[in-house]
């Protein structure tokens, strides 16, 4: 019985799920590996986005000018500032996002049919986004943004020497709560993003490729990337103000005992609108669109291959098991 070991293990790991479900731990693994690939490829765009959002005096004339200015004045390596917390953050974030979404989807499935409604898919995505925002995204992005907003070539002149030093300085100067600055807009941004993304990804898979979860088919990488890219476009447009406010709240410090400019999410939205105009709430939208949809394309291109491989092998086990049960 050459399939006995693998099939028995697979069945033990999935005995609480329907045969058409992928266990959460596999979703978590696939997401974390996809996150590593995404971070390595797209970090420069994230640095440019952050600099544009923090630019109140018009130093940068656009995406290309911002990237060229950073490279010229700070060196090309500056475009990868904050890579360590960004890569770690993406790896943990996607593991939690994909795993928790799978758990929530299982909870929202109809107990009799095993089917997931559109309403359940939206709520599962929103819940996964809220969890990742509170547990992982906010503290990692606070550190990342503080590192990215530093300008200069000389390390000794920079306030923060690295991600660990940055986190320690924030805790020392602002307390542990300082690592969760901007948590409210981050929760709203990520919850909305993930409810839209998971719903759209499933819809595009079905619409474009007739692919249903649990059918044993594995999409080609370029097919997964197209679905992921399209699914990643709606979120940045809808959540632009939350992202700008999040960045402003995370970037401000109490250095020198000064008073914080923004008192919270609503106050920040009002202040930015009054001082800079409505469009300022969508600052950095273009680099977000240049980063998030391609990032989702890369992540899903990796994740779907891992999930698909597991799904195909598990599907083969069920076929073998079914045929065996019918042997007289």
């Amino acid at each position: 019985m050459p399939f006995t070991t693998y099939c028995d293990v697979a069945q033990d790991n999935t005995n609480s799920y329907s045969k058409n479900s992928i266990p959460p731990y596999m979703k978590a693994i696939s997401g974390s590996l996809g996150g590593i690939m995404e971070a390595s490829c797209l970090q420069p765009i994230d640095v440019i986005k952050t600099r544009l959002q923090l630019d109140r005096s018009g130093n940068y004339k656009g995406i290309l000018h911002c990237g060229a200015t950073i490279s010229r004045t700070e060196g090309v390596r500056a475009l990868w500032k904050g890579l360590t917390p960004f890569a770690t953050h993406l790896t943990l974030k996607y593991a939690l996002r994909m795993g928790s979404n799978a758990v929530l989807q299982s909870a929202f499935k109809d107990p009799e049919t095993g089917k997931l409604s559109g309403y359940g898919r939206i709520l599962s995505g929103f819940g996964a986004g809220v969890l990742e925002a509170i547990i992982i995204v906010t503290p990692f992005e606070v550190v990342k943004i503080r590192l990215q907003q530093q300008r200069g070539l000389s390390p000794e002149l920079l306030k923060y020497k690295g991600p660990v030093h940055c986190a320690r300085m924030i805790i020392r100067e602002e307390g542990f709560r300082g690592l969760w600055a901007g948590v409210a807009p981050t929760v709203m941004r990520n919850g909305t993003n993930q409810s839209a993304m998971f719903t759209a990804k499933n819809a595009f898979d079905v619409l474009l490729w007739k692919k249903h979860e649990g059918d044993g088919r594995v999409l080609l990488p370029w097919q997964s990337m197209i679905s992921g890219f399209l699914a990643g476009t709606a979120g940045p447009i809808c959540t632009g103000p939350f992202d700008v406010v999040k960045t402003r709240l995370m970037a401000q410090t109490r250095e020198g005992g000064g008073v914080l400019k923004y008192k919270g999410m609503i106050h920040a939205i009002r202040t930015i609108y009054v001082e800079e105009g409505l469009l300022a709430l969508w600052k950095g939208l273009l680099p977000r669109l240049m980063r998030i949809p391609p990032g989702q394309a890369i992540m899903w291109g990796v994740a779907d291959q891992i999930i698909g491989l597991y799904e195909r092998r598990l599907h083969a086990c069920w076929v073998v098991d079914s045929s065996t049960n019918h042997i007289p």
Side-chain angles (χ1 to χ4, degrees):
M1 297 179 65
F3 293 92
T4 301
T5 302
Y6 176 80
C7 293
D8 287 347
V9 172
Q11 187 62 40
D12 289 342
N13 287 333
T14 57
N15 56 8
S16 60
Y17 297 90
S18 70
K19 286 188 176 182
N20 290 328
S21 295
I22 307 300
Y25 77 89
M26 279 305 304
K27 294 287 187 74
I29 291 172
S30 68
S32 63
L33 294 176
I36 293 172
M37 182 66 72
E38 177 186 341
S40 301
C41 296
L42 299 179
Q43 173 69 359
I45 296 177
D46 193 71
V47 171
I48 292 172
K49 181 213 76 168
T50 300
R51 291 290 183 90
L52 287 173
Q53 289 181 337
L54 296 174
D55 181 27
R56 301 177 191 173
S57 55
N59 292 326
Y60 303 122
K61 309 305 179 186
I63 295 173
L64 295 179
H65 179 260
C66 180
T69 302
I70 294 172
S71 298
R72 184 178 64 254
T73 59
E74 304 173 49
V76 175
R77 291 182 61 185
L79 291 170
W80 275 267
K81 276 186 175 180
L83 177 60
T84 300
F86 185 53
T88 306
H89 149 239
L90 277 188
T91 302
L92 296 176
K93 178 178 74 173
Y94 283 140
L96 177 61
R97 175 190 298 177
M98 300 285 281
S100 62
N101 182 70
V103 171
L104 290 171
Q105 284 191 357
S106 178
F108 282 116
K109 283 181 179 178
D110 188 296
E112 296 182 359
T113 65
K115 293 183 178 180
L116 180 68
S117 67
Y119 182 70
R121 194 178 299 278
I122 290 173
L123 285 180
S124 298
F126 190 86
V130 170
L131 283 174
E132 71 179 20
I134 296 173
I135 298 174
I136 294 173
V137 175
T138 302
F140 274 95
E141 288 211 0
V142 167
V143 172
K144 175 178 69 74
I145 286 172
R146 296 289 178 87
L147 290 172
Q148 288 178 347
Q149 72 176 338
Q150 296 186 124
R151 303 179 185 181
L153 288 169
S154 180
E156 59 269 13
L157 298 179
L158 299 177
K159 178 179 179 179
Y160 304 119
K161 312 304 181 185
V164 175
H165 179 259
C166 179
R168 288 175 178 171
M169 289 290 290
I170 292 171
I171 294 172
R172 183 183 308 150
E173 295 178 355
E174 306 168 44
F176 277 98
R177 292 182 61 183
L179 288 173
W180 274 267
V183 65
T186 307
V187 163
M188 292 302 299
R189 183 197 68 171
N190 283 59
T192 305
N193 265 341
Q194 301 329 311
S195 61
M197 190 272 293
F198 279 110
T199 303
K201 175 60 168 59
N202 179 75
F204 283 123
D205 281 350
V206 174
L207 180 65
L208 297 176
W209 322 118
K210 310 301 180 185
K211 160 68 180 170
H212 297 268
E213 184 174 356
D215 61 7
R217 290 180 56 218
V218 182
L219 293 177
L220 296 173
W222 65 268
Q223 292 175 318
S224 297
M225 293 180 75
I226 289 176
S227 293
F229 185 94
L230 294 174
T233 55
I237 297 174
C238 298
T239 62
F242 293 129
D243 192 62
V244 171
V245 169
K246 169 199 72 73
T247 301
R248 296 287 181 90
L249 289 174
M250 289 179 174
Q252 63 181 358
T253 67
R254 294 183 181 274
E255 189 174 1
V259 178
L260 296 179
K261 179 179 178 66
Y262 305 115
K263 311 303 180 185
M265 180 174 69
I266 302 301
H267 180 259
I269 291 175
R270 290 175 179 171
T271 303
I272 294 170
Y273 172 73
V274 170
E275 294 182 354
E276 304 173 51
L278 181 63
L279 291 180
L281 290 169
W282 276 269
K283 272 189 173 182
L285 175 61
L286 187 55
R288 283 192 80 204
L289 288 173
M290 290 177 64
R291 194 195 73 76
I292 293 178
Q296 290 302 300
I298 294 170
M299 193 281 292
W300 283 109
V302 174
D304 274 356
Q305 293 303 301
I306 297 171
I307 293 172
L309 177 63
Y310 180 90
E311 191 174 22
R312 185 165 55 187
R313 294 183 67 184
L314 200 58
H315 183 74
C317 287
W318 292 327
V319 171
V320 170
D321 182 62
S322 299
S323 62
T324 303
N325 290 336
H326 285 86
I327 295 175

